[in-house]
Amino acid sequence: MSEPRYALDDLLTLMAVLRDPDDGCPWDLEQDWGSIVPHTLEEAYEVADVIERCAFDELPAELGDLLFQVVYYAQFAAEEGRFDFHDVVHTLTAKMLRRHPHVFPDGTLASRRPPGVTAEQVETRQVSSRWESLKAEERAARAAADGDAAAVRDSAEASVLDDIPRTLPALSRAAKLSRRAARVGFDWPDARGVLAKIREELDEVEQALAEGDRDHAAEEVGDLLFAVINLARTLKADPEQCLRATNAKFERRFRHVETALAAEGVALPEAGLEAMERHWQAAKGGEASAEPTRGPVPAHCNDNPGDRRS
């Protein structure tokens, strides 16, 4: 006889008991809004790692850990009389219905597009434009609801860059900033324009180094990184995913160098660059020869379906 499957209400009950002053867990009772944030970030990255590794058998557990963070925040809010988990679900559903009038034309879950109109026939640019307009309206509504006169006044001049979290990793935030700007036309006409910008920024790095101005060179490196992130965007690639793939590749090849040198009885610090480069190239060549027989791998640099929601 199979074990009964737990449902969402069971999870909410579990959290309430964990936080119960009499019957709860001492560790959980000590937690607050701020103490959980690092765990939330860690769980989000663990979900990304599992997907990158195609370890989908691990994904239910990792998604559960991430969901648990949401339940945690909702419990804090319920204890303080702010809102509860059901308010989170309602707010999210209502927002998604409002932002998808091309899918739910009446703004209800039961409504659908007219018969014969497929998803492919919905013009992508028009959807993105409508999405941005709806988000701008939501920002203005939030300012008005706050009752902040300055916020209400400023909402008329709201930036398309509003609500991009400053706490994002710099690489991800740069990608979001550039995407937002591109949606309103602040963009190069094609990838060649971005390549020219990359060359320009690289020249400025070299000039700063030639002048011995390391601070200016560091600033120009930032500009160069931002230009490269824009190139990834024009290729419809997520720079975080691209860099994670490169990190994994570098680690794999360098570990091969370490293993090969150890097999030769050579300590890494004494090996020298020539020997390390020889083994590096061997690792690189081995990957190239094995590529046709590899199994499925994640599309690290593919189009990110979540981009338009950023």
Side-chain angles (χ1 to χ4, degrees):
M1 185 175 179
S2 61
E3 295 183 1
R5 293 179 65 84
Y6 294 111
L8 182 56
D9 284 343
D10 297 318
L11 177 60
L12 298 178
T13 299
L14 181 145
M15 173 55 73
V17 174
L18 287 176
R19 293 278 297 174
D20 185 273
D22 297 323
D23 301 323
C25 168
W27 186 89
D28 289 286
L29 286 167
E30 290 177 358
Q31 304 313 306
D32 57 26
W33 296 95
S35 68
I36 293 298
V37 169
H39 298 285
T40 306
L41 296 173
E42 180 181 339
E43 298 300 349
Y45 280 115
E46 288 182 2
V47 168
D49 176 66
V50 165
I51 294 173
E52 291 290 322
R53 293 187 287 108
C54 285
F56 296 114
D57 57 327
E58 302 175 23
L59 192 54
E62 296 299 343
L63 287 173
D65 291 343
L66 185 57
L67 173 61
F68 196 66
Q69 304 303 304
V70 178
V71 172
Y72 233 128
Y73 294 122
Q75 179 66 28
F76 292 151
E79 291 169 4
E80 297 173 8
R82 299 175 184 273
F83 58 84
D84 62 18
F85 184 83
H86 300 290
D87 293 316
V88 174
V89 173
H90 170 78
T91 302
L92 173 60
T93 304
K95 179 171 65 175
M96 290 299 108
L97 287 171
R98 187 170 60 250
R99 290 185 178 181
H100 291 83
H102 53 290
V103 179
F104 306 101
D106 296 338
T108 66
L109 279 174
S111 63
R112 297 292 185 271
R113 285 194 298 267
V117 180
T118 66
E120 289 75 15
Q121 291 172 317
V122 177
E123 211 282 313
T124 302
R125 188 178 301 275
Q126 181 183 8
V127 170
S128 296
S129 176
R130 186 185 298 119
W131 182 275
E132 288 302 321
S133 297
L134 289 167
K135 290 192 72 173
E137 292 172 7
E138 290 171 4
R139 287 191 288 266
R142 283 199 300 270
D146 290 341
D148 186 333
V152 173
R153 182 187 66 249
D154 293 343
S155 67
E157 302 174 358
S159 170
V160 297
L161 305 180
D162 285 347
D163 72 18
I164 298 178
R166 295 183 180 275
T167 53
L168 282 174
L171 192 66
S172 294
R173 191 163 193 269
K176 284 182 175 289
L177 289 169
S178 65
R179 283 198 297 269
R180 289 282 183 90
R183 286 175 190 162
V184 294
F186 192 70
D187 198 8
W188 292 272
D190 53 38
R192 288 175 295 181
V194 191
L195 286 170
K197 183 64 175 176
I198 290 173
R199 295 187 185 99
E200 174 190 327
E201 298 297 351
L202 184 57
D203 288 342
E204 291 179 1
V205 171
E206 291 178 339
Q207 181 178 347
L209 288 174
E211 294 171 354
D213 191 340
R214 298 180 67 86
D215 290 340
H216 185 207
E219 177 185 345
E220 295 299 341
V221 167
D223 293 345
L224 176 61
L225 287 170
F226 196 86
V228 171
I229 289 168
N230 271 281
L231 179 60
R233 177 181 53 78
T234 62
L235 299 175
K236 295 185 177 181
D238 179 77
E240 282 281 354
Q241 290 181 324
C242 290
L243 188 55
R244 280 199 298 270
T246 296
N247 287 345
K249 181 169 59 178
F250 177 89
E251 182 178 6
R252 186 171 62 246
R253 292 176 180 176
F254 192 80
R255 286 179 183 276
H256 173 88
V257 171
E258 291 177 313
T259 301
L261 289 171
E264 295 174 353
V266 179
L268 194 63
E270 283 77 45
L273 181 58
E274 183 178 346
M276 286 191 280
E277 177 65 19
R278 172 167 51 85
H279 290 302
W280 178 276
Q281 292 300 327
K284 187 175 179 179
E287 290 176 358
S289 63
E291 191 164 331
T293 59
R294 279 196 222 164
V297 295
H300 294 291
C301 297
N302 65 350
D303 191 7
N304 183 354
D307 283 353
R308 66 184 182 88
R309 290 185 169 84
S310 302

